[in-house]
């Protein structure tokens, strides 16, 4: 895109040049209000006033209103802290430096919800010579966010912005009609980019759905589409290849319950997303070993680990690591070398097996459900011959690698689109490109 005909030095090194007819100044000169919010009292009956928090603002300045809460506010508080169209709401306190300064723009939808704002965010209200959309784009661009990193103060692990630090923000500012042109241009362009991102995300979802369907088909029906089938004798399993078997888990697994003696082994975790993996945070457990690691169970490569409390969500998997796991997990070891561990990793994470785990779990509704060993051992499992298990695993490993590469490629395209989006916004609101006549 073209540049402006003439530029001048802003006088601020990190702002650099700005168009000749632009100016730079501090934000405080362009606001009618810059004030913190209110938290209010607990809302016992759910009929209080909506209060926006920093968690309702995404890192790139959009709104996420799925979990907005209500609080009890007095009439005076509601009147004072009520948000109006064109207000901007800035995150001023967060445990993450990346979230400091993220800014949401109040639109017709927010205004119509009769919403106030919490004490962890700040409201600014621009003067008439400022286009709020233009300012919203500027506040979320790196030129603004980087200033906040240097101006924020840290207390008890939280980074904080103050009214003063927001007032002192330096902005590069064109005339009002040009602000509107830039904002309209960015609205069009970001909508186009966001649509491309949505398409890429949908492609990733389709690839993940394809993976799930492929795994489910292969681990339950085999690789030969022409194989003769027979009833399995188990309703939820349905038909299986004629030469396959169905066995109860007690014939396939035995429970492993040997405890850690030293606690120096790798500490593993299990979730519905990663299966079995090392804990993300490395803990130094040597000093308080006997007290904190008591009851932790051994786990070896090839063992099936089930998170007893979250099995109903699919938090299970066959381990690729030697280590120890929480006492709240159950560890099951294959009884014979005729079983291929990775086959059971694929099998147990299929939707029908998760449904069966839910059926056998005990407790009261979701988070209180538990899959205990006696229930696990009573469940049925499909058992192909060893060589077919191995062939299925090799086939799925290959297909998974291909799908992972396709997903990685789409994710990279999404990142590039996001980088382009951010670069376009930054260059437009700082005058590095001239978009006045762009359509």
């Amino acid at each position: 895109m073209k540049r402006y005909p003439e530029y001048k030095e802003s006088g601020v090194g990190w702002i650099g040049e700005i168009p000749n007819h632009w100016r730079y100044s501090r934000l405080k000169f362009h606001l009618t209000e810059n004030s913190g919010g209110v938290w209010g009292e607990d809302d016992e009956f759910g009929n209080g006033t909506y209060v926006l928090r920093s968690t309702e603002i995404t890192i790139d300045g959009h709104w996420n209103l799925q979990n907005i809460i209500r609080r009890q506010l007095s009439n005076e508080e509601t009147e004072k802290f009520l948000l109006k169209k064109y207000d901007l709401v800035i995150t001023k306190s967060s445990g993450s430096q990346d979230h400091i300064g993220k800014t949401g723009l109040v639109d017709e939808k927010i205004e119509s919800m009769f919403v106030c704002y919490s004490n962890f965010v700040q409201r600014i209200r621009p003067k008439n010579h400022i286009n709020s959309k233009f300012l919203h784009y500027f506040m979320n661009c790196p030129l603004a966010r980087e200033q906040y990193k240097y101006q924020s103060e840290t207390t008890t692990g939280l980074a904080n912005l103050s009214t003063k630090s927001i007032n002192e923000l330096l902005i590069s500012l064109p005339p009002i009609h040009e602000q509107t042109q830039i904002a309209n241009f960015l609205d069009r362009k970001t909508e186009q980019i966001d649509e491309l991102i949505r398409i890429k995300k949908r492609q990733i979802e389709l690839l993940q759905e394809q993976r799930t369907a492929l795994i489910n088909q292969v681990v339950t029906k085999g690789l030969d589409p022409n194989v003769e089938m027979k009833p399995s004798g188990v309703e939820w399993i349905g038909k299986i290849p004629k030469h396959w078997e169905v066995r109860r888990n007690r014939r396939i697994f035995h429970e492993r319950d040997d405890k850690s003696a030293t606690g120096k082994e790798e500490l593993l975790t299990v979730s519905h997303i990663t299966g079995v993996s090392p804990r993300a945070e490395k803990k130094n457990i040597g000093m308080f070993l006997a007290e904190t690691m008591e009851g932790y169970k051994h786990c070896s490569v090839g063992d099936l680990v089930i998170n007893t409390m979250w099995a109903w969500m699919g938090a299970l998997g066959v381990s690729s690591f030697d280590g120890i796991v929480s006492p709240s997990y159950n560890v099951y070891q294959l009884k014979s070398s005729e079983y291929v561990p990775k086959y059971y990793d694929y099998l147990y994470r299929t939707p029908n097996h998760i449904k069966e785990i839910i059926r056998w779990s005990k407790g009261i509704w979701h988070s209180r459900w538990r899959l205990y060993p006696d229930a696990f051992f009573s469940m049925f499992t499909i058992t192909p011959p060893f060589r077919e298990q191995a062939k299925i695993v090799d086939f799925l490993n290959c297909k998974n690698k291909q799908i992972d590469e396709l997903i990685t490629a789409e994710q990279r395209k999404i990142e590039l689109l996001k980088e382009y989006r951010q670069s376009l916004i930054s260059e437009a609101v700082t005058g590095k490109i001239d978009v006045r006549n762009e359509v």
Side-chain angles (χ1 to χ4, degrees):
M1 288 185 178
K2 66 181 182 180
R3 287 168 57 83
Y4 282 86
E6 293 184 81
Y7 286 83
K8 65 183 177 183
E9 286 296 330
S10 65
V12 180
W14 45 269
I15 291 181
E17 291 184 330
I18 59 175
N20 201 46
H21 61 288
W22 286 33
R23 56 177 172 151
Y24 84 91
S25 62
R26 302 198 180 276
L27 182 61
K28 62 184 177 182
F29 299 117
H30 309 289
L31 304 177
T32 63
E33 184 178 330
N34 180 0
S35 59
V38 63
W39 185 228
E41 301 294 331
D42 289 342
D43 180 31
E44 184 178 354
F45 301 105
N47 57 2
T49 303
Y50 284 122
V51 175
L52 288 176
R53 304 159 295 173
S54 65
T55 51
E56 271 76 64
I57 307 172
T58 67
I59 197 166
D60 55 355
H62 291 112
W63 293 110
N64 181 356
L65 304 177
Q66 292 182 342
N67 298 308
I68 187 170
I69 64 168
R70 293 179 183 268
R71 304 286 293 175
Q72 287 292 338
L73 304 179
S74 67
N75 291 337
E76 292 77 12
E77 288 172 328
T78 300
E79 183 178 353
K80 180 178 179 181
F81 298 105
L82 190 65
L83 290 171
K84 297 181 180 179
K85 186 179 178 181
Y86 303 128
D87 286 349
L88 290 102
V89 181
I90 305 171
T91 297
K92 66 178 184 180
S93 182
S94 174
S96 170
Q97 188 72 62
D98 291 337
H99 286 260
I100 289 294
K102 62 182 182 179
T103 302
L105 174 64
V106 177
D107 55 16
E108 294 90 341
K109 178 181 178 180
I110 300 291
E111 184 180 51
S112 67
M113 291 172 62
F114 199 69
V115 177
C116 293
Y117 61 104
S118 82
N119 53 335
F120 284 101
V121 297
Q122 192 90 350
R123 173 177 63 188
I124 61 173
R125 187 166 285 169
K127 292 181 177 178
N128 291 334
H129 66 274
I130 299 294
N131 181 294
S132 287
K133 279 192 174 182
F134 172 86
L135 186 57
H136 176 246
Y137 279 119
F138 183 90
M139 299 289 279
N140 286 296
C141 84
L143 188 61
R145 300 288 282 272
E146 284 298 314
Q147 291 185 63
Y148 288 139
K149 287 185 179 181
Y150 295 103
Q151 295 179 18
S152 62
E153 302 173 354
T154 302
T155 56
T156 63
L158 295 176
N160 296 284
L161 291 175
S162 64
T163 300
K164 180 180 178 182
S165 59
I166 293 172
N167 275 336
E168 293 302 304
L169 182 75
L170 284 167
I171 64 172
S172 50
L173 201 62
I176 179 64
H177 70 277
E178 197 169 330
Q179 295 174 39
T180 302
Q181 288 176 311
I182 292 170
N184 291 341
F185 167 81
L186 289 175
D187 282 347
R188 294 194 304 272
K189 286 297 183 181
T190 55
E191 183 178 351
Q192 293 168 6
I193 295 169
D194 289 343
E195 178 60 23
L196 289 173
I197 290 173
R198 281 192 290 271
I199 291 171
K200 296 299 179 188
K201 287 182 176 180
R202 180 56 184 154
Q203 289 172 339
I204 290 174
E205 290 174 359
L206 291 173
L207 285 167
Q208 291 168 334
E209 290 170 8
Q210 177 187 335
R211 185 211 306 273
T212 299
L214 179 66
I215 292 172
N216 188 66
Q217 173 66 24
V218 172
V219 298
T220 60
K221 308 300 179 187
L223 295 170
D224 182 1
N226 299 315
V227 68
E228 186 177 354
M229 307 293 284
K230 69 177 181 182
S232 66
V234 180
E235 183 178 356
W236 69 272
I237 292 178
K239 290 184 177 181
I240 60 173
K242 189 174 182 179
H243 59 291
W244 288 20
E245 296 181 16
V246 173
R247 301 174 182 172
R248 287 195 185 272
N249 285 342
R250 66 170 60 96
R251 290 184 57 193
I252 304 173
F253 296 93
H254 65 79
E255 186 177 9
R256 184 173 182 180
D257 201 28
D258 48 317
K259 303 297 193 296
S260 169
T262 66
K264 293 181 180 179
E265 304 93 331
E266 179 106 38
L267 185 57
L268 307 176
T269 187
V270 61
S271 77
H272 68 288
I273 298 173
T274 62
V276 182
S277 61
R279 291 184 69 94
E281 69 275 16
K282 299 295 183 181
K283 293 188 177 180
N284 181 2
I285 58 178
M287 292 289 292
F288 41 91
L289 175 64
E291 189 173 326
T292 62
M293 305 310 291
E294 182 180 355
Y296 276 64
K297 302 172 183 178
H298 277 295
C299 167
S300 300
V301 173
D303 288 349
L304 174 66
V305 184
I306 298 181
N307 185 329
T308 311
M309 293 184 291
W310 298 103
W312 61 274
M313 280 189 64
L316 52 87
V318 171
S319 180
S320 300
F321 309 92
D322 292 324
I324 52 176
V325 297
S326 165
S328 64
Y329 297 171
N330 291 108
V331 181
Y332 302 98
Q333 197 167 52
L334 290 165
K335 286 185 173 182
S336 169
S337 59
E338 68 176 297
Y339 304 115
V340 179
K342 186 62 178 177
Y343 169 80
Y344 292 93
D345 187 60
Y346 282 127
L347 181 66
Y348 280 120
R349 292 161 71 83
T350 57
N352 281 345
H353 273 77
I354 299 302
K355 288 179 183 177
E356 189 65 2
I357 284 172
I358 292 173
R359 190 174 76 84
W360 281 94
S361 295
K362 297 178 181 178
I364 305 173
W365 191 241
H366 288 181
S367 62
R368 296 186 181 180
W369 285 344
R370 305 287 187 270
L371 181 69
Y372 296 111
D374 59 337
F376 172 76
F377 286 132
S378 296
M379 292 171 59
F380 287 102
T381 290
I382 301 168
T383 310
F386 174 82
R387 289 187 178 181
E388 278 194 70
Q389 293 179 39
K391 286 181 180 179
I392 288 170
V393 167
D394 288 343
F395 173 81
L396 289 177
N397 285 346
C398 179
K399 289 296 183 181
N400 266 329
K401 182 179 179 182
Q402 294 171 1
I403 293 172
D404 284 340
E405 288 172 352
L406 292 172
I407 289 174
T408 298
E410 294 301 317
Q411 289 172 332
R412 179 56 183 154
K413 291 174 185 177
I414 289 173
E415 291 306 312
L416 289 173
L417 284 167
K418 288 181 177 179
E419 290 172 10
Y420 172 64
R421 184 184 191 277
Q422 188 62 70
S423 174
L424 186 67
I425 292 171
S426 296
E427 292 188 346
V429 298
T430 58
K432 301 299 186 289
I433 56 175
D434 183 354
V435 302
R436 290 173 294 181
N437 297 314
E438 295 289 336
V439 293

